[in-house]
Amino acid sequence: MALAISLYAPSTTISSSSSSGPDEDGRLDPSVFSKHPFRFDTGIALFAKRTPRPFPPPFLSPPSGSFSDPLSTHDRSRDRRRAYVGGQLIQGLTNGDDAVFASDYFIGANDGVGAWSMRPRGHAGLWARLVLHFWATSMFEDAARQGDVYRPDPVAYLQRAYEQTIEATGPPNDWQGTTTAAGAQLHYRRLNSTSSNSTNNNDEPASSTTDDRRSSGKLARKDDMQLQPLVYVTNLGDSQVMVVRPSTREMVYKSAEQWHWFDCPRQLGTNSPDTPRECAVVDIVPIREGDVVLAMSDGVIDNLWAHEIVDKVSESLERWERGDVRGYRGAGGGVLVSGDCGSSSGMMEYVAAELMEAARAIAVDPFAESPFMEHAIEEGLASVGGKLDDISVVAAICRRNGP
């Protein structure tokens, strides 16, 4: 397993000023990472245990009550996919109480706590989506602000997202909920050729303007340097990020789940004591081109063991490369969604869908053995079969940018 460097506190505070808003289609502008040597090609697959609730006002306008009202108010209320906060299109997708986001440089999966659906003002799906939206927006804005000297500060991004969500859902709106958070940001570092195979000698990533020096202290020649992709994995709760290396069929990394007690993960939101600044953990994980980074809600990891996830991802890529997936269609009511920002033609959508379907098959089987069942029995609780839950998968493969 690759070395992961754990961090527990942000070093800076992200200001509220915006220097890079969404493009004309309402999406975050990936040009802020135009000099990045690597990218993600992404795919999303979703299965909801129940139909997602529409977002409440003011995130979706209520239907027009009069023909004298602007027609746009009525039209927007009918389009559940286009939700807004502060006049900005909310990024990502909602899946039951989950939310997901996919782009060339950041993926995420947040799991809203479904118990809030029983509360009159509860809306966990809104909380999950808003936290992810503000998280991604803060990251893109900070990258635009820093330019060539950009260094990620993931916990600061998540902390700001948490604070903005509290503000957006607070009075006079008062929409309640909690959510876990798991995301992976793609970055890179420069390595000396003499240490390129080591994960211990050069753990800190370098920006494109940072001097790269040999162990002797002399400036290294450019020919002696090579770039290595990194993922900054941020986790709070029991959603999970995993890195799979299909070439060797191994799990390079997986994030650690955080619990208060069994089936009660750490979470952000109403009445929760948890905050990103105090609870979020960041791991800096060296990866390779061709590695697959997964952001998953607990609907996956409660129903599939880690080795099953590795096997499913590796087998799906092998089938795709052999061309054995012609005419593939997802089954079981799952939703297959193309990733944002120009993902490759269907490959990662297929990988995500196969993983989602494998988890769904266990989730709906009352006789299956599952990780959730095993953990419940360890806690002295009666449990059989899979765990029916929202299942959200974002699959991203690391590619090199440019020719």
Side-chain angles (χ1 to χ4, degrees), residues 343-372:
S343 65
S344 61
S345 57
M347 179 175 68
M348 298 316 295
E349 285 89 342
Y350 175 72
V351 171
E354 285 288 275
L355 185 55
M356 177 272 291
E357 289 291 346
R360 185 198 62 81
I362 300 298
V364 299
D365 185 349
F367 303 105
E369 294 185 0
S370 67
F372 182 83

Side-chain angles (χ1 to χ4, degrees), residues 8-10 12-13 155-156 158-160 163 236 275-280:
Y8 288 86
T12 62
T13 299
V155 176
L158 185 55
Q159 179 68 31
R160 172 146 180 79
E163 293 168 357
L236 191 152
T275 67
R277 187 171 287 120
E278 297 296 327
C279 303

Side-chain angles (χ1 to χ4, degrees), residues 300-341:
V300 179
I301 62 175
D302 280 342
N303 289 296
L304 296 176
W305 279 276
H307 72 274
E308 294 176 312
I309 295 173
V310 172
D311 288 344
K312 180 58 65 175
V313 168
S314 302
E315 291 166 2
S316 299
L317 283 173
E318 290 170 2
R319 284 198 299 271
W320 182 273
E321 291 169 355
R322 291 196 306 265
D324 293 344
V325 297
R326 186 183 300 275
Y328 171 80
R329 294 291 184 274
V335 179
L336 188 64
V337 186
S338 294
D340 291 337
C341 302

